[in-house]
Amino acid sequence: MNDVVGYRKRRGVEAFMLAFSIALGIGGYLLTHLNQDAALPPEWPWALAALFTIGLVLHVVIRWRLPYADPLILPLVMLLNGLGLAMIHRLDLGTSPRMHSAELQLMWTAVAAIACCVVIVFVRDYRVLQRYTYTMFLAGMALLMLPLVPGLGLEKNGARIWIHLGPYSFQPAELAKLVLSIAFASYLVEKREVLALAGGRFLGIELPRPRDLGPILVMWLASLAVLVFQKDLGTSLLFFGLFVMMLYVATEKPSWAILGVLLFGTGAYLGYLFFSHVQVRVSSWLSPFTDYDQNYQVIQGQLGIAWGGALGTGWGLGRPNLIPLAKTDFIAAAVGEELGIAGLTAVMLIYGLIVARGLRASLVARDPFGKLLAAGLAFVFAIQVFAILGGVTRLLPLTGLTTPFMSQGGSSLVANWTMVGLLLVITHQVRSPVPEAPEPEQWLSAETTQVVPVGAAAISGRPSAGTAASPAHPRTPSGEDEDESTVTVPTNPVQQTPTSPDDTTQIATEHADQPGSDRAAEDGHTT
Amino acid sequence: MSELAVLGLKVGFLALLWLFILFTGNVVRTDLFGRKVSAAELSASGTPGAKPQKLSRRALRQLPKTLTVTHGKQAGLQLPLGDGILIGRASDCQLLLDDDYVSTRHARISRTPTGYQVEDLGSTNGTFVNNQRISTPVAFGAEDTLRIGRTLMSAEK
């Protein structure tokens, strides 16, 4: 056995960071009340206990099932979730008939944590997910297009990305993120050699062969359909971007990324020319102050972040309630107002760290499916955060995506925590040490000759008689009813009668599989 | 609360937030290169509670030496198990099976401190040990039969 290089488990580090992250979330909640009423809320121990229980359960499940999982992913996610909860509660306080969405969000956090635990407990090996490539793809596409079904889909705030489920509404695209990243990963593992084949060259870039363009065109049309019919730029960007990024990772061909950007640019430009909702988004991005009423949300977000300045107004001291949809789309603007650019940058950095840990797992992974899946899950977070935070800070046109883990909304929370569960399973598998097979020479020299009792000798001496038996001798498939010694008795009767002291012992060597094994065994008898 | 206390709490919270990120950075840094896992620890983690040294020697003596195809198109084919065998259609597999039900990289036989084990590599049609479809790595000794598609294999000493 050689020593191998492995990763530390670091569960203690995880527990400490988890406690720290929960303390920060609760700290935001307490500071809000301290700043607004100069007193702690009476129910704060309950909030602390609830978050702490969620963290503890997750930590214990990870200790039990995934001892080698990445120690940072859970605390980072928990911190974002805690800050989101505190901010939603702070926005609740600003509503005049007081709303209780933070309590609901806490309940959804618990549900999402349970979903994460279910993934951790039941997905022992992520590689089983590789089997259902096309089923996953069809399921993901169906989920993505589900809001377009008449009677089921629901248009809210101009985007048709919701469906009714009884009294609840649900964003199926959130679940589609997970399903489609699995589908893309397993598809690209199968097809990456073909997709990496070069066609012609143009301006020094190797272009893919025209016949391989099918999948990217399918995804392009699907994302255009989302853009046109669901009127959601963000979802469209998210899924097409995810596919192009994974295609690039799988094939290592920059031409795919360039082609993807060109295709998306063309699609977005066509959307801008023909659809008024895209034009509204673009005008509120480039020149929001020309139309105050139409771009009210973007303007309020901008003013909020500007009012916050470098260090923010402090928890509970700003006026983030002026921003429409501050709990969902614009929670980043509320954070920017109360925690300032310092806090908003910290939040962005935390998202960046989660993505970095996912990509790190992808680098360490030994099988291509694990590599692509970890990279895909990391890219989903990266693109989503880039699109929504870019929209809020006016780097990009505003898109209707949720801010992962922070925005109010059950489906988003559950889907994102499920993805975190899968990411943890992958990190555990890629970080746990694998025993490497030692070099054969070392292995033989390490094995010294040894004296063994006759019972075991009969077993190890069997190859000497094994040459007499046919090598293709068919074994009974249910071999457990045969005992080793009873098989050996008729073939090697000499060793079964311990008449002399020499026969009670035998030298066993590891060369028994060599052609000269008979001689080796006989040499053993003569000593 | 006084203006000063509000400012202090505000700056303190942000400082703690950034301290969290600094801690995270430190964990990332110390995590970069991993550490050496000793062989004893590895086998201890593989078989909890077992004495690795003794177990490993006994297992080594009982290890099968060759894998023989007992049934199927390539019946009679033998190859040494060595450090492990990759079974499938791909050119880097040690055992290239001529069978319609074999995936590109179908299964792997690898040596562990306790003996050989078979592991399914996400194959389409599955890997069967003693007619049981396997989903996790299972031990593969001399009396076990391995079935992949229509090919039966067994390990021999």
Side-chain angles (χ1 to χ4, degrees), chain A residues 323-340:
Chain A
I323 311 167
L325 294 182
K327 284 178 198 166
T328 52
D329 290 4
F330 266 67
I331 197 156
V335 169
E337 181 169 350
E338 302 223 316
L339 300 183

Side-chain angles (χ1 to χ4, degrees), chain A residues 441-455:
Chain A
E441 300 85 28
Q442 285 178 337
W443 181 54
L444 285 176
S445 62
E447 193 63 30
T448 50
T449 40
Q450 50 181 311
V451 177
V452 288
V454 71

Side-chain angles (χ1 to χ4, degrees), chain B residues 12 25 41 52 56 102 119:
Chain B
E41 198 179 335
S56 137
V102 174
E119 174 189 8

Side-chain angles (χ1 to χ4, degrees), chain A residues 335-351:
Chain A
V335 169
E337 181 169 350
E338 302 223 316
L339 300 183
I341 286 300
L344 192 58
T345 318
V347 167
M348 289 182 192
L349 213 59
I350 290 162
Y351 281 116

Side-chain angles (χ1 to χ4, degrees), chain B:
Chain B
M1 282 201 302
S2 72
E3 199 89 343
L4 204 63
V6 168
L7 184 70
L9 284 173
K10 180 172 90 179
V11 173
F13 183 84
L14 287 174
L16 281 176
L17 195 59
W18 280 94
L19 189 68
F20 182 90
I21 290 175
L22 285 183
F23 278 2
T24 310
N26 192 43
V27 176
V28 170
R29 186 183 62 77
T30 51
D31 201 59
L32 264 185
F33 299 109
R35 54 141 197 178
K36 275 209 152 184
V37 183
S38 71
E41 198 179 335
L42 259 186
S43 35
S45 68
T47 56
K51 288 165 214 151
Q53 197 68 32
K54 196 178 172 187
L55 195 67
S56 137
R57 288 209 170 176
R58 174 171 295 182
L60 280 177
R61 267 188 282 111
Q62 296 185 345
L63 274 185
K65 300 291 184 288
T66 54
L67 184 72
T68 309
V69 179
T70 54
H71 197 269
K73 281 186 193 163
Q74 291 153 297
L77 183 74
Q78 271 190 317
L79 77 165
L81 278 166
D83 293 333
I85 291 181
L86 194 61
I87 303 173
R89 282 179 190 281
S91 53
D92 59 333
C93 294
Q94 283 83 41
L95 180 53
L96 281 161
L97 280 188
D98 179 18
D99 190 308
D100 293 341
Y101 298 95
V102 174
S103 299
T104 314
R105 284 183 187 77
H106 195 108
R108 182 193 289 129
I109 301 182
S110 48
R111 193 161 65 195
T112 64
T114 53
Y116 285 100
Q117 66 174 25
V118 190
E119 174 189 8
D120 186 85
L121 300 176
S123 66
T124 315
N125 294 306
T127 305
F128 297 79
V129 171
N130 297 332
N131 279 331
Q132 297 281 315
R133 185 165 183 161
I134 59 171
S135 52
T136 52
V138 297
F140 185 60
E143 297 301 323
D144 296 322
T145 41
L146 174 66
R147 181 164 77 76
I148 287 172
R150 290 178 179 162
T151 309
L152 278 178
M153 282 154 280
S154 65
E156 309 207 342
K157 287 191 182 173

Side-chain angles (χ1 to χ4, degrees), chain A residues 217-469:
Chain A
L217 287 179
V218 167
M219 277 314 297
W220 185 60
L221 290 175
S223 68
L224 275 189
V226 170
L227 180 67
V228 171
F229 298 114
Q230 305 189 1
K231 303 179 184 174
D232 194 53
L233 191 62
T235 314
S236 157
L237 172 70
L238 177 62
F239 286 99
F240 190 65
L242 172 69
F243 185 71
V244 171
M245 291 294 245
M246 288 179 76
L247 200 53
Y248 173 56
V249 172
T251 58
E252 300 174 36
K253 292 264 177 220
S255 54
W256 282 116
I258 295 167
L259 190 68
V261 170
L262 288 178
L263 277 177
F264 189 79
T266 315
Y269 186 66
L270 289 178
Y272 174 71
L273 285 186
F274 293 112
F275 299 99
S276 60
H277 65 270
V278 183
Q279 287 164 2
V280 169
R281 290 290 164 98
V282 171
S283 83
S284 72
W285 164 44
L286 293 175
S287 48
F289 296 98
T290 51
D291 190 342
Y292 187 79
D293 293 322
Q294 179 190 289
N295 306 325
Y296 183 71
Q297 187 184 27
V298 176
I299 293 172
Q300 285 303 323
Q302 295 279 297
L303 291 179
I305 296 174
W307 179 238
L311 296 178
T313 55
W315 281 96
L317 298 177
R319 297 190 66 191
N321 284 94
L322 290 176
I323 311 167
L325 294 182
K327 284 178 198 166
T328 52
D329 290 4
F330 266 67
I331 197 156
V335 169
E337 181 169 350
E338 302 223 316
L339 300 183
I341 286 300
L344 192 58
T345 318
V347 167
M348 289 182 192
L349 213 59
I350 290 162
Y351 281 116
L353 282 165
I354 294 176
V355 173
R357 294 319 284 171
L359 291 178
R360 175 84 195 151
S362 164
L363 282 176
V364 184
R366 287 174 290 264
D367 64 313
F369 179 65
K371 268 188 195 306
L372 278 173
L373 187 54
L377 293 176
F379 281 139
V380 168
F381 287 127
I383 299 172
Q384 189 170 356
V385 171
F386 176 69
I388 183 64
L389 289 190
V392 170
T393 54
R394 262 184 66 218
L395 180 71
L396 304 172
L398 181 64
T399 58
L401 289 172
T402 57
T403 318
F405 308 111
M406 291 185 84
S407 286
Q408 182 200 352
S411 48
S412 158
L413 209 52
V414 172
N416 285 319
W417 272 97
T418 313
M419 288 167 70
V420 165
L422 192 56
L423 199 54
L424 285 170
V425 171
I426 299 174
T427 56
H428 166 71
Q429 264 175 278
V430 305
R431 289 164 61 94
S432 46
V434 179
E436 285 176 75
E439 297 298 308
E441 300 85 28
Q442 285 178 337
W443 181 54
L444 285 176
S445 62
E447 193 63 30
T448 50
T449 40
Q450 50 181 311
V451 177
V452 288
V454 71
I459 295 165
S460 66
R462 198 172 157 224
S464 61
T467 44

Side-chain angles (χ1 to χ4, degrees), chain A residues 105-282:
Chain A
Q105 178 81 349
L106 184 60
M107 197 202 79
W108 276 113
T109 306
V111 173
I114 291 168
C116 179
C117 290
V118 166
V119 170
I120 292 172
V121 172
F122 288 103
V123 184
R124 294 308 300 271
D125 187 344
Y126 62 81
R127 284 172 297 184
V128 297
L129 301 170
Q130 202 179 345
R131 284 187 198 149
Y132 314 109
T133 311
Y134 295 97
T135 321
M136 287 273 188
F137 181 73
L138 288 177
M141 277 297 164
L143 280 171
L144 200 55
M145 299 300 167
L146 210 51
L148 295 178
V149 177
L152 193 64
L154 181 66
E155 188 157 335
K156 268 191 197 175
N157 310 317
R160 197 182 168 93
I161 49 171
W162 299 81
I163 55 166
H164 292 289
L165 273 182
Y168 300 101
S169 56
F170 175 73
Q171 246 178 320
E174 291 290 339
L175 204 59
K177 287 193 302 192
L178 174 67
V179 177
L180 281 180
S181 23
I182 298 171
F184 292 163
S186 53
Y187 170 77
L188 290 170
V189 168
E190 269 178 50
K191 293 284 153 71
R192 60 184 181 148
E193 278 97 353
V194 176
L195 294 172
L197 285 177
R201 285 177 75 91
F202 180 70
L203 294 176
I205 303 158
E206 282 185 353
L207 293 176
R209 297 186 305 177
R211 75 182 84 156
D212 297 330
L213 293 178
I216 196 170
L217 287 179
V218 167
M219 277 314 297
W220 185 60
L221 290 175
S223 68
L224 275 189
V226 170
L227 180 67
V228 171
F229 298 114
Q230 305 189 1
K231 303 179 184 174
D232 194 53
L233 191 62
T235 314
S236 157
L237 172 70
L238 177 62
F239 286 99
F240 190 65
L242 172 69
F243 185 71
V244 171
M245 291 294 245
M246 288 179 76
L247 200 53
Y248 173 56
V249 172
T251 58
E252 300 174 36
K253 292 264 177 220
S255 54
W256 282 116
I258 295 167
L259 190 68
V261 170
L262 288 178
L263 277 177
F264 189 79
T266 315
Y269 186 66
L270 289 178
Y272 174 71
L273 285 186
F274 293 112
F275 299 99
S276 60
H277 65 270
V278 183
Q279 287 164 2
V280 169
R281 290 290 164 98
V282 171

